[in-house]
Coordinates of all heavy atoms in Angstrom, one line a residue:
E1464 N 44.5 17.8 4.6 CA 44.3 18.8 3.4 C 43.9 18.2 2.2 O 43.0 18.6 1.4 CB 45.6 19.7 3.1 CG 45.8 20.7 4.1 CD 45.0 22.0 3.8 OE1 44.4 22.0 2.7 OE2 44.7 22.8 4.7
R1465 N 44.5 17.1 1.8 CA 44.2 16.3 0.5 C 42.8 15.7 0.6 O 42.1 15.9 -0.2 CB 45.3 15.2 0.4 CG 45.0 14.4 -0.9 CD 45.8 13.1 -1.0 NE 45.1 12.1 0.1 CZ 43.9 11.6 0.0 NH1 43.1 11.9 -1.0 NH2 43.5 10.8 0.9
F1466 N 42.5 15.2 1.8 CA 41.2 14.6 2.0 C 40.1 15.7 1.8 O 39.1 15.5 1.2 CB 41.1 13.9 3.4 CG 39.9 13.2 3.7 CD1 39.7 11.8 3.4 CD2 38.8 13.8 4.2 CE1 38.5 11.2 3.7 CE2 37.6 13.2 4.5 CZ 37.5 11.9 4.2
S1467 N 40.3 16.9 2.5 CA 39.3 17.8 2.5 C 39.1 18.4 1.0 O 38.1 18.7 0.6 CB 39.8 19.0 3.4 OG 39.7 18.6 4.7
R1468 N 40.2 18.6 0.3 CA 40.2 19.0 -1.1 C 39.4 18.0 -1.9 O 38.5 18.3 -2.7 CB 41.6 19.2 -1.7 CG 42.1 20.6 -1.4 CD 43.3 20.8 -2.2 NE 44.4 19.8 -2.3 CZ 45.3 19.7 -1.4 NH1 45.4 20.6 -0.4 NH2 46.2 18.6 -1.6
Q1469 N 39.6 16.7 -1.7 CA 39.0 15.6 -2.4 C 37.4 15.5 -2.1 O 36.7 15.4 -3.0 CB 39.7 14.3 -2.3 CG 39.1 13.2 -3.1 CD 39.8 11.9 -2.9 OE1 40.9 11.9 -2.3 NE2 39.3 10.9 -3.3
Y1470 N 37.2 15.6 -0.9 CA 35.8 15.2 -0.5 C 35.0 16.4 0.0 O 33.9 16.6 -0.6 CB 35.8 14.1 0.7 CG 36.2 12.8 0.3 CD1 37.5 12.3 0.6 CD2 35.5 12.0 -0.5 CE1 38.0 11.1 0.2 CE2 35.9 10.7 -0.9 CZ 37.2 10.3 -0.5 OH 37.6 9.1 -1.0
I1471 N 35.5 17.1 0.9 CA 34.7 18.2 1.5 C 34.5 19.3 0.3 O 33.3 19.8 0.1 CB 35.4 19.0 2.7 CG1 35.7 17.9 3.7 CG2 34.6 20.1 3.2 CD1 34.4 17.1 4.3
D1472 N 35.6 19.8 -0.3 CA 35.5 20.9 -1.3 C 34.6 20.3 -2.5 O 33.8 21.1 -3.0 CB 36.8 21.2 -1.8 CG 37.7 22.0 -0.7 OD1 37.2 22.2 0.4 OD2 38.8 22.3 -1.0
D1473 N 34.8 19.1 -2.9 CA 33.9 18.6 -3.9 C 32.6 18.5 -3.6 O 31.6 19.0 -4.4 CB 34.4 17.0 -4.2 CG 33.9 16.5 -5.5 OD1 33.9 17.2 -6.6 OD2 33.4 15.3 -5.4
M1474 N 32.1 18.2 -2.4 CA 30.8 18.2 -1.9 C 30.2 19.8 -1.9 O 29.0 19.9 -2.3 CB 30.5 17.6 -0.6 CG 30.8 16.1 -0.5 SD 29.9 15.2 -1.8 CE 30.5 13.5 -1.6
L1475 N 31.0 20.7 -1.4 CA 30.7 22.0 -1.6 C 30.3 22.5 -2.9 O 29.4 23.3 -3.2 CB 31.7 22.9 -0.8 CG 31.9 22.6 0.7 CD1 33.1 23.5 1.2 CD2 30.5 23.1 1.5
R1476 N 31.2 22.1 -3.8 CA 30.9 22.5 -5.2 C 29.7 21.8 -5.8 O 29.0 22.6 -6.5 CB 32.2 21.9 -6.2 CG 33.4 23.0 -6.0 CD 34.5 22.6 -7.0 NE 35.0 21.3 -6.8 CZ 36.0 21.0 -6.0 NH1 36.6 22.0 -5.2 NH2 36.5 19.7 -5.9
L1477 N 29.5 20.6 -5.4 CA 28.2 20.0 -5.8 C 27.1 20.7 -5.3 O 26.1 21.0 -6.1 CB 28.3 18.5 -5.3 CG 27.1 17.6 -5.6 CD1 27.5 16.2 -5.7 CD2 26.0 17.7 -4.4
E1478 N 27.0 21.1 -4.0 CA 25.9 21.9 -3.4 C 25.8 23.1 -4.0 O 24.6 23.6 -4.4 CB 26.2 22.0 -2.0 CG 25.1 22.8 -1.1 CD 25.4 23.1 0.3 OE1 26.5 23.3 0.6 OE2 24.4 23.2 1.0
E1479 N 26.9 23.8 -4.4 CA 26.8 25.2 -5.0 C 26.2 25.0 -6.4 O 25.3 25.9 -6.8 CB 28.2 25.8 -5.2 CG 28.3 27.1 -5.9 CD 27.7 28.3 -5.0 OE1 27.7 28.1 -3.7 OE2 27.4 29.3 -5.5
R1480 N 26.5 23.9 -7.2 CA 25.9 23.7 -8.5 C 24.4 23.7 -8.4 O 23.7 24.2 -9.1 CB 26.5 22.6 -9.2 CG 27.8 22.8 -9.9 CD 28.1 21.6 -10.8 NE 28.1 20.3 -10.2 CZ 29.0 19.6 -9.6 NH1 30.1 20.2 -9.4 NH2 28.8 18.4 -9.1
V1481 N 24.0 22.8 -7.5 CA 22.5 22.6 -7.3 C 21.8 23.9 -6.9 O 20.8 24.2 -7.3 CB 22.3 21.4 -6.2 CG1 20.9 21.4 -5.9 CG2 22.8 20.1 -6.8
W1482 N 22.5 24.6 -5.9 CA 21.9 25.8 -5.4 C 21.7 26.9 -6.6 O 20.7 27.5 -6.7 CB 22.9 26.5 -4.4 CG 22.5 27.7 -3.8 CD1 22.9 29.0 -4.0 CD2 21.3 27.8 -2.8 NE1 22.3 29.9 -3.2 CE2 21.3 29.3 -2.4 CE3 20.5 27.0 -2.1 CZ2 20.4 29.8 -1.6 CZ3 19.5 27.5 -1.2 CH2 19.5 28.9 -0.9
M1483 N 22.7 27.0 -7.5 CA 22.6 27.9 -8.6 C 21.6 27.4 -9.6 O 21.2 28.2 -10.5 CB 23.9 28.0 -9.2 CG 25.0 28.7 -8.3 SD 24.4 30.1 -7.6 CE 24.4 31.2 -9.0
E1484 N 21.0 26.1 -9.6 CA 20.0 25.8 -10.4 C 18.8 26.4 -10.2 O 17.7 26.4 -10.9 CB 19.9 24.2 -10.4 CG 21.1 23.5 -11.2 CD 20.8 22.0 -11.2 OE1 19.7 21.5 -11.1 OE2 21.8 21.3 -11.4
L1485 N 18.5 26.8 -8.8 CA 17.3 27.6 -8.4 C 17.5 29.0 -9.0 O 18.5 29.6 -8.8 CB 17.2 27.5 -6.9 CG 17.0 26.3 -6.2 CD1 17.3 26.5 -4.6 CD2 15.8 25.6 -6.5

Side-chain angles (χ1 to χ4, degrees):
E1464 276 289 342
R1465 186 200 62 73
F1466 185 93
S1467 293
R1468 278 193 307 277
Q1469 180 179 350
Y1470 292 104
I1471 305 299
D1472 295 355
D1473 190 46
M1474 295 304 175
L1475 291 174
R1476 283 189 296 275
L1477 180 147
E1478 182 186 30
E1479 182 72 19
R1480 277 195 312 272
V1481 170
W1482 182 253
M1483 295 309 290
E1484 288 182 24
L1485 294 171

